[in-house]
Amino acid sequence: MSPLRQHVDTRLAPPTGLAAPARGPATSRGEAPVLVVGAGIGGLAAAVLLAAAGVPVQVLERAPQVGGKMRAPQVAGQAIDAGPTVFTMRWVFDELCEAAGTRLDHLLALEPCEVLARHAWPDGGQLDLLADPQAAVDAIARFAGPYEARRYQGFCERAQRISRTLEGPFLRGTRPTPLSLMWRAGWRGLPDMLRISPFGTLWQALGRHFHDPRLRQLFGRYATYCGSSPFLAPATLMLVAHVEREGVWRVRGGMHRVARALAALAQRHGAHLRCDTQVTRILVQDGRANGVELADGQRLAAQAVVFNGDASALSAGLLGDAVRPALPALPRARRSLSALTWCGVTPVQGFDLSRHTVFFSGDYRAEFDDLQGRRRLPVEPTVYVCAQDRGDGGSGDTTPVAERLLVLVNAPPAGDLAPGTPGHLSDEEIASCESRTFAHLARLGLRLQTPPANWLRTTPTDFERLFPGTGGALYGAASHGWRASFTRPSSACRMAGLVLAGGSTHPGPGVPMAALSGQLAAAQVLADRASTRSWHPVATSGGTSMR
């Protein structure tokens, strides 16, 4: 049973959408709220579930809008998704909405993708990875031959086994360890657990499945979904292939609508949301987190604090010295990748883009040697382009003359290094990578107006400013080695009253994983609340006098 179903009454109300919020259990008058610091997807999911359960909740967000990494900056007067661009694992949000007395279809308009992504290589090869299983097999047969198509089928079967093996004991588990994973699987599930190849790398496993190096490169890119190298990430990341085959959706109006919908749902259940509100310190009394201090000096009491920022910000002391011991520090070498991105509104010429298009480098290993070994921007990067005004069909779509594009290349997490420090990315290095990126696109047929005429560029330093304590790393710790999945912080940490959520915590990065972390955080708060019913901090007008 999931933590969500254990602790939240799913019979709160009929699924009538936002117009009829559910009534949770009555709360004590004057009871201090649960303070959720950060309105990313994890924090919003926690707020929805806690508010639906009748717990007083207040969400505090330093940015002017909700969403965290699910950003949509304005470029040339248009909103462009500058963070996550695909919606997967719909069941996570179906369950969340059910627990809050509504249905996902009442909150968002989702359109299934028929083309998961279009891929292009310097040798002129091009492949659409299709959502329909048989159509995908046929496309790969035309691209790489019938033997590779059969190998692809075997790869998908293995990805499905991995996904089914890990969903219950790992994704929904509160604090999985190798031993607990085996225990939760049970003796009947032990053979499947041993077959998921936890000790091999993704690149090694792909070499056993595919002979065509281009397919190995295509599916190796799944490691970058969690900011990692396919040469170091575990083979279990093959499960991403099954996740995508289960469904990838476009969100009508943009991915930022997901965050806005969850925020509205939380508010309908009584949660209070405050944007442009920076938390500078988490307050601790008698070894327990019991409030926060804001940038204006105001102090707010809390029965618990859910921190939905990057976990490394706590150990770095950015939320005060009192909570430093809550988590071990994340070494710089264990950070996930950052990115260098451009958001623009521009005419597109040459290449027939799909909504999601990947332009691969000619040497994947050299690219990751640059990123992971030399800690520099790649000489020849793989480039992801999200054409946000297109559907699946490319040229068959009706698109404006100037299209909204997100262009992204991977980058080392060096956003907190001072100029002159080894590894610092200078303006000259960034400008050189920019030139190489758009030249690479042109070589593969895509001609765009060269930045920076009407483009918004975001560097690892900018990501560090947006998400302090990360160095620009976008996914918490890198998933390198078989132990990595078991070392992410869980919802519970070393400090009472402090609960963690977000992509840097278990079960990992990505929109659905962050939502799962929010479910786990809500379950932790409710469990702690049930075990400490005699402890009720009381909110007072104008803040508190906590030291």
Side-chain angles (χ1 to χ4, degrees):
M1 180 181 293
S2 73
L4 182 156
R5 294 185 182 276
Q6 286 177 325
H7 296 288
V8 180
D9 184 358
T10 59
R11 297 169 297 170
L12 295 172
T16 53
L18 298 179
R23 294 180 178 272
T27 58
S28 302
R29 187 175 183 180
E31 182 181 11
V34 172
L35 295 179
V36 178
V37 180
I41 292 299
L44 292 173
V48 166
L49 296 174
L50 290 170
V55 178
V57 178
Q58 189 169 157
V59 183
L60 309 171
E61 171 55 51
R62 68 194 291 264
Q65 65 286 315
V66 300
K69 294 184 177 70
M70 194 175 279
R71 306 180 303 124
Q74 291 282 325
V75 180
Q78 299 189 57
I80 301 180
D81 279 328
T85 55
V86 295
F87 189 92
T88 59
M89 295 173 66
R90 174 179 174 150
W91 58 267
V92 173
F93 296 91
D94 283 330
E95 288 187 5
L96 192 156
C97 289
E98 179 188 355
T102 189
R103 291 174 54 187
L104 182 61
D105 290 338
H106 293 168
L107 305 184
L108 296 169
L110 301 178
E111 302 165 346
C113 295
E114 295 179 6
V115 179
L116 302 181
R118 181 162 293 165
H119 305 85
W121 285 267
D123 67 0
Q126 185 172 315
L127 173 66
D128 283 1
L129 187 61
L130 304 174
D132 179 81
Q134 188 56 53
V137 170
D138 295 340
I140 289 174
R142 291 191 296 271
F143 174 74
Y147 294 108
E148 287 295 86
R150 283 198 285 271
R151 293 185 188 104
Y152 169 70
Q153 289 176 303
F155 166 75
C156 290
E157 290 168 1
R158 187 176 176 193
Q160 182 180 45
R161 288 196 301 270
I162 292 173
S163 180
R164 289 180 175 175
T165 299
L166 293 179
E167 179 186 323
F170 182 79
L171 295 184
R172 298 179 183 270
T174 54
R175 178 76 179 188
T177 65
L179 184 60
S180 70
L181 206 61
M182 295 292 187
W183 179 262
R184 289 169 183 166
W187 67 269
R188 289 184 178 177
L190 188 58
D192 287 335
M193 195 64 67
L194 295 174
R195 282 195 293 265
I196 65 174
S197 304
F199 306 114
T201 68
L202 178 60
W203 195 254
Q204 290 168 341
L206 292 173
R208 289 189 287 270
H209 280 283
F210 298 109
H211 293 179
D212 191 313
R214 296 171 300 179
L215 294 178
R216 198 175 180 185
Q217 194 175 21
L218 189 159
F219 295 108
R221 185 172 169 269
Y222 287 156
T224 66
Y225 288 20
C226 57
S228 304
S229 163
F231 302 97
L232 300 172
T236 49
L237 285 180
M238 286 192 296
L239 67 84
V240 177
H242 181 65
V243 166
E244 288 192 336
R245 281 165 63 92
E246 283 192 317
V248 174
W249 285 266
R250 296 185 297 272
V251 180
R252 191 177 301 166
M255 284 291 291
H256 57 282
R257 291 288 183 93
V258 178
R260 290 165 55 186
L262 292 185
L265 182 58
Q267 289 175 305
R268 291 283 184 170
H269 282 285
H272 296 277
L273 175 65
R274 295 174 59 177
C275 290
D276 285 314
T277 302
Q278 183 171 356
V279 173
T280 56
R281 190 155 61 106
I282 296 175
L283 302 173
V284 178
Q285 189 172 38
D286 299 327
R288 182 183 182 93
N290 69 338
V292 303
E293 183 175 309
L294 306 182
D296 63 4
Q298 183 183 10
R299 292 185 171 192
L300 305 177
Q303 59 176 286
V305 176
V306 175
F307 181 67
N308 184 222
D310 195 282
S312 59
L314 296 173
S315 56
L318 300 185
L319 278 300
D321 289 336
V323 291
R324 270 183 184 266
L327 289 172
L330 178 68
R332 184 181 300 274
R334 288 191 54 219
R335 287 175 176 173
S336 66
L337 293 172
S338 184
L340 182 56
T341 70
W342 299 266
C343 291
V345 181
T346 183
V348 172
Q349 295 179 319
F351 192 95
D352 188 14
L353 292 172
S354 185
R355 188 178 185 89
H356 306 288
T357 307
V358 181
F359 297 86
F360 280 110
S361 63
D363 189 336
Y364 220 33
R365 187 175 289 276
E367 181 178 348
F368 282 92
D369 283 346
D370 283 340
L371 290 166
Q372 299 291 341
R374 302 180 184 92
R375 295 281 169 172
R376 69 184 186 189
L377 291 165
V379 172
E380 183 181 83
T382 291
V383 188
Y384 166 67
V385 178
C386 180
Q388 298 178 22
D389 295 307
R390 299 203 181 205
D392 294 324
S395 59
D397 299 323
T398 301
T399 56
V401 173
E403 301 184 42
R404 296 177 301 151
L405 301 182
L406 166 67
V407 179
L408 179 151
V409 300
N410 291 315
D416 56 348
L417 294 178
T421 304
H424 169 72
L425 302 177
S426 67
D427 292 342
E428 293 76 16
E429 288 173 284
I430 290 171
S432 177
C433 182
E434 182 175 280
S435 297
R436 295 194 304 271
T437 296
F438 285 85
H440 182 58
L441 292 176
R443 282 193 300 273
L444 271 65
L446 178 63
R447 296 187 299 278
L448 303 174
Q449 184 182 49
T450 304
N454 62 336
W455 294 75
L456 172 67
R457 184 175 67 188
T458 307
T459 69
T461 300
D462 297 321
F463 284 120
E464 159 67 17
R465 293 193 191 104
L466 289 167
F467 312 112
T470 65
L474 296 175
Y475 312 89
S479 296
H480 290 161
W482 69 271
R483 294 184 182 88
S485 298
F486 302 105
T487 57
R488 283 186 176 273
S490 66
S491 54
C493 64
R494 297 172 181 171
M495 177 164 290
L498 180 60
V499 179
L500 308 180
S504 66
T505 67
H506 175 75
V511 174
M513 298 295 200
L516 282 173
S517 81
Q519 294 180 17
L520 293 169
Q524 184 68 48
V525 170
L526 293 170
D528 291 347
R529 179 181 167 90
S531 64
T532 57
R533 297 295 294 179
S534 60
W535 186 85
H536 290 296
V538 177
T540 59
S541 177
T544 70
S545 59
M546 295 178 288
R547 293 188 295 277

